[in-house]
Amino acid sequence: MYNYQPYLSLFINIPLSSFCVENILIKEIKFLILKIVKLLCDLLRKIIWLQNSRKGGENVTVLEVKHLKKSFGSIRAVQDINFSVNSGEIFTIIGPNGAGKTTTLEMVEGLVTPDAGEITFGNLSWEKNGNEIKKKIGVQPQSGAMFDLLTPEENLNLFASFYDKARSTHEILELVNLVDHRKNQVKKLSGGQRQRLAIGLAMISDPDIIFLDEPTTGLDPQARRNIWDIILQLKELGKTTILTTHYMEEAEKLSDRVCIVDHGKVVTLDTPSSLIEKLTKEREVRLTFLDGDQASGEADAFVKTLKSVTKTEREGSSLKLWTTKPEDTLVELFGFTKEKNYQVEQVSIREMSLEDVFIAYTGKEWRD
């Protein structure tokens, strides 16, 4: 064997007789091999998913719900729910309290038996293939089932023991950013950390489809965005995520498609941008005048003569108007104010949002 010890002694200031150089190198090589194998496995997983998702086109349906119905006594919680979910997408269900979204989710997850309708995961159904479906899905409920006196690492190891196939605990801890807290008892974790652990527990079986039921409720803005990052990472891993939320901004930023449910029915379903565009092409323009009520009153009368303006509201020195051509409207309005020598203190154009869509379809203000 080549004698490398004299060269190694240049870098290590301990007597070479105190350890076995060969054993150290073997351990390092083993560690590197394991790391390379892990990276290759992750890469292979992504390649397999990409190949599967491309079979038969981009929109591979992984979940289909048809004519779902459920009543509790005289209360018809779900009247006729229909939707399908595509592979790899973030599909969000939103609706007012009592709309039927939680009951729908519980039926899809196999926790509640529907009175009527069909739920299929590809060619699998709960009636015939319940055990197979359980291996394909992961569920993060509103109330997480975890053991407060155990650590995140111990909780994950325990849940991993329930499955034939499971991801490594360390990999999940890295995914949900809890490596530094892996030895702390769950009862000592913050709300955001507990929610991240709940998502980790849903991921431990390496499911294809993950159900996240209001994962950011009650969290501060920073903790909420940490959850968003995890959801987007799941998408990068090729996972299909079915999300419910009470936050319009969350649904708009994360979702590939949004399903609005009210009175036990789907009232609309599309991409966030398409839903907003379908709502209206109008934009709200707000102006405040330094010259007070007179300026806003005359400006109000002027813009009502413009064909592009559909509605106006005036309060004191402030004027709100809705127009299908905001830029053209402002050009004409500023021409008018210049002619009258009125000064505009503030002006803004408000874009429509998913919250506007929600209120338009449900007729209710958003409630937590």
Side-chain angles (χ1 to χ4, degrees), residues 282-347:
E282 296 175 358
R283 293 296 176 266
E284 180 184 324
V285 179
R286 301 181 180 186
L287 303 102
T288 304
F289 295 87
L290 285 173
D291 302 283
D293 294 8
Q294 182 179 347
S296 64
E298 291 189 23
D300 186 17
F302 171 76
V303 295
K304 283 178 178 175
T305 65
L306 304 177
K307 290 182 179 180
S308 60
V309 175
T310 59
K311 176 185 171 185
T312 67
E313 288 181 8
R314 185 170 69 90
E315 184 177 345
S317 62
S318 298
L319 174 65
K320 288 195 292 188
L321 61 94
W322 285 261
T323 173
T324 54
K325 298 178 180 179
E327 293 83 2
D328 294 346
T329 300
L330 283 174
V331 168
E332 294 192 61
L333 181 56
F334 286 147
F336 170 80
T337 57
K338 184 176 181 181
E339 181 183 326
K340 292 287 187 176
N341 202 27
Y342 289 143
Q343 291 183 299
V344 177
E345 182 181 19
Q346 291 182 338
V347 62

Side-chain angles (χ1 to χ4, degrees), residues 15 24 34 45 54 68 124 146 262 275 291 309 313 363:
I24 289 176
L34 287 172
R45 251 190 234 113
R54 286 169 183 163
L68 210 57
L124 306 178
M146 57 187 79
D262 197 14
L275 288 172
D291 302 283
V309 175
E313 288 181 8

